[in-house]
Amino acid sequence: MSHLIFGAGQIGCFIGACMHEAGVDVSFLARRHIKAMLEHGLLLTDYQGYRSEVTHLQCVDTTQARPFDVVWLTVKCTAVQPSLDELAAFVGQDTIIMCCQNGLGSDQIVRERFPNNQVLRVMVPFNVVLQENEQANSQVREVSKFANYHRGSEGTLCIEKNHSDRLAAWMKLMNSSCLDVAEESNMTGLQWAKLQLNLGNSVNALADIPVKAMLMQRNYRLVIASLMDELLNVAQSQHIQLPKVASVKGHWIPYVLRLPDILFKLLANKMLAIDPTVRTSMWWDIKNGKPTEIQYLNGAVERAGQALGIACPINNAIIALISKKQNGELKGAISASELRKYVLSNDSSKLNG
Ligand SMILES: NC(=O)C1=CN([C@@H]2O[C@H](COP(=O)(O)OP(=O)(O)OC[C@H]3O[C@@H](n4cnc5c(N)ncnc54)[C@H](OP(=O)(O)O)[C@@H]3O)[C@@H](O)[C@H]2O)C=CC1
Ligand SMILES: CC(C)(CO)C(=O)C(=O)O
């Protein structure tokens, strides 16, 4: 079975290289600088000390387009619509398309364009980053010249359950590799549960510090908890059951986040079991001057709330701040106390920048 990673970046390179290691026939479509790294070879590492050099990775470009059995769409949400024409050249009538985006709605864009194909949603629970030289572990740098994709947190790659067994052999291969995969029948619930965690991406981008350091500050946690309350309210009104994706059930997370620091540190050990350097994908987007996925994350909650007549003022305020951050009106990091005052009491005089 042939697999194509379409839009190989942090997630695509990591997942695709794990597939290659597992013996899967996988090719990559990537931007030129990433293609050069892939063709040279990659170093895969993870937060638990896993380390493997992966070579002989195969890239394709649009001039070599042909249908693949499975196409993994690993571009950002904002790149899904603009990618559709190029994607079409790799999609045949039996191609399965895997949508690996965070947030809600990217699969719908793909389904509308490819109504006769099987389009499956994929939930990526873990964080991957292309380690920059100054971040890379010096031991790793000494022995590898390869670009280092580092997985900074745990989790099983979840694929929407389908009623064919076309992926059975692939799943078996993968589950003996560095990447665990599983099928999920409640994919809508799972996407909302992951979305609940990703609501903190925007706070992380505004805080401009690693996730772990952000979670150590209660005022940031209070804002994230309030964003989550709104999502939980909207999800409940739609009767969406949220499976557990973190160490604590979704409904309990806002309570844990609101605990005083000393109790939070005691109880949230597993929540804090992430690399101290991990930052969210939205922080990276802002850093790289790219459009953020805010409309597919907090924006998705706000729109679902609107449709139900449920106001989501906290998500609304955060969306406005991210938009200011993107267009350069808001400069520098927002401290935890500033953000709390601004978002939770909506007092704009409390913000610098
Ligand atoms: N990184 C992470 O830790 C996690 C990310 N996710 C989600 O996974 C998805 C992918 O994120 P991530 O891997 O970080 O994103 P990246 O930006 O690292 O990777 C996407 C890559 O696709 C490229 N691309 C876009 N359009 C095309 C095209 N038409 N042809 C070829 N290449 C293209 C982009 O290039 P360019 O930028 O030049 O357009 C970029 O290199 C997002 O929805 C994200 O939220 C989920 C969990 C964790
Ligand atoms: C894994 C997590 C929640 C944090 O890195 C993420 O999905 C992201 O950065 O977008």
Side-chain angles (χ1 to χ4, degrees), residues 36 101 192 286:
Q101 290 66 39
W192 276 79
I286 301 248

Side-chain angles (χ1 to χ4, degrees), residues 4-47:
L4 174 71
I5 305 286
F6 185 106
Q10 317 207 74
I11 291 302
C13 286
F14 191 88
I15 294 179
C18 287
M19 285 194 207
H20 179 83
E21 280 234 290
V24 173
D25 170 9
V26 59
S27 305
F28 298 80
L29 178 82
R31 298 293 190 207
R32 195 183 305 181
H33 63 292
I34 295 179
K35 183 170 185 261
M37 293 192 307
L38 284 161
E39 286 174 342
H40 187 55
L42 298 183
L43 171 66
L44 300 187
T45 53
D46 81 10
Y47 68 110

Side-chain angles (χ1 to χ4, degrees), residues 7 9-11 31 74 76 101-102 126-128 290 293:
Q10 317 207 74
I11 291 302
R31 298 293 190 207
T74 58
K76 289 266 163 76
Q101 290 66 39
N102 269 335
F126 47 79
N127 172 275
V128 177
K290 294 195 171 160
E293 298 182 302

Side-chain angles (χ1 to χ4, degrees), residues 87-98:
L87 180 63
F90 296 94
V91 173
Q93 58 179 9
D94 294 324
T95 303
I96 303 173
I97 307 171
M98 303 284 202

